[in-house]
Amino acid sequence: MNAPDATPVALDTWPRREAYTFFSGLSDPFYSVTVTVDVTALHTYTKRRGLSFYYALVWLCTQSINQTTAFRYAIRNGQPVLLARREPSFTDLHPGAEQFHIVTMPAGDALEDFCRAARAKSRAQTEFLSAAAESDALIYFSCLPWVSLTALTNERDFDKDDAIPRITWGKYVPENGRETLGMSLEVSHRFIDGYHLGQFYQKLQKSIDEL
């Protein structure tokens, strides 16, 4: 999968230049936040249509990421760039398997098409990871459907220029007649503040509620 196009950032006129410079000076500019997402409408939607709840939430998160500019920044050759889009790279399990594999593919424009394509690609995949699909324009997704998620850390080869968002959620649980889940987001403070996390969260929750 080819990396999406990117536009170099004009640092002299970039409103975020001062904050970017400040957080670039830290040895560890990454942070993680866990939020509660109401997925009642999504569960109903996917159950009625015979779709994967997991794949559907990957697609919805990807759309919300791409609609939130701050999440589309990356660093290439030491300079910030704005990506045209990010694409999902998500863990999955073959039926009956204990060892996960990582599926990377374009999100496309339609939720149901993505769900069906993701299932087919995952079922057909025989390798743990396709190195050819790796790029700096991904979103790393995972899920722990066996536990209620309240916090999470991610493994990584430490690279301050790594701006790939990492999103993980746990199982959905009943709560006051609704269904909610904990979702962890790990991001780089060089580009993403709490305000931007709030933008992502609001877009995601709205897209779920409107299903």
Side-chain angles (χ1 to χ4, degrees):
M1 184 172 69
N2 295 327
D5 294 336
T7 303
V9 172
L11 289 174
D12 291 344
T13 57
W14 191 27
R16 189 167 180 79
R17 177 179 179 177
E18 189 173 5
Y20 172 79
T21 301
F22 174 81
F23 288 112
S24 293
L26 301 181
S27 60
D28 183 355
F30 305 101
Y31 70 101
S32 179
V33 172
T34 302
V35 299
T36 301
V37 182
D38 186 325
V39 295
T40 308
L42 178 59
H43 190 197
T44 299
Y45 180 92
T46 54
K47 187 175 182 179
R48 285 178 177 172
R49 289 163 176 78
L51 302 172
S52 163
F53 176 93
Y54 178 50
Y55 299 150
L57 190 49
V58 166
W59 188 87
L60 289 166
C61 285
T62 300
Q63 302 310 302
S64 297
I65 286 285
N66 284 325
Q67 293 166 10
T68 309
T69 303
F71 281 83
R72 290 190 286 111
Y73 286 108
I75 298 175
R76 293 180 177 174
N77 300 317
Q79 297 297 317
V81 299
L82 181 62
L83 302 167
R85 68 183 185 281
R86 287 191 177 277
E87 302 289 10
S89 181
F90 52 94
T91 62
D92 206 1
L93 287 169
H94 291 300
E98 294 184 4
Q99 175 60 54
F100 72 91
H101 57 282
I102 298 173
V103 182
T104 303
M105 59 183 288
D109 298 321
L111 185 155
E112 295 194 22
D113 289 347
F114 174 78
C115 287
R116 295 187 177 98
R119 181 181 296 276
K121 182 174 177 60
S122 180
R123 294 282 177 92
Q125 184 167 316
T126 58
E127 58 188 344
F128 172 69
L129 169 73
S130 173
E134 290 296 293
S135 81
D136 62 354
L138 300 178
I139 310 163
Y140 291 157
F141 288 101
S142 191
C143 178
L144 297 172
W146 311 278
V147 298
S148 297
L149 187 68
T150 57
L152 183 83
T153 59
N154 285 282
E155 76 294 336
R156 66 168 73 225
D157 284 327
F158 193 83
D159 176 5
K160 285 178 60 175
D161 289 350
D162 177 357
I164 295 175
R166 289 155 167 83
I167 302 179
T168 305
W169 52 85
K171 69 177 181 179
Y172 48 79
V173 295
E175 182 177 321
N176 299 322
R178 309 292 293 179
E179 291 176 319
T180 62
L181 55 75
M183 176 180 289
S184 170
L185 299 94
E186 185 175 317
V187 296
S188 172
H189 216 335
R190 297 168 82 176
F191 298 117
I192 300 170
D193 300 329
Y195 174 79
H196 307 117
L197 287 172
Q199 286 184 311
F200 162 81
Y201 174 79
Q202 290 168 8
K203 293 176 191 298
L204 176 62
Q205 190 64 70
K206 185 173 185 290
S207 68
I208 292 173
D209 292 343
E210 291 178 346
L211 288 171

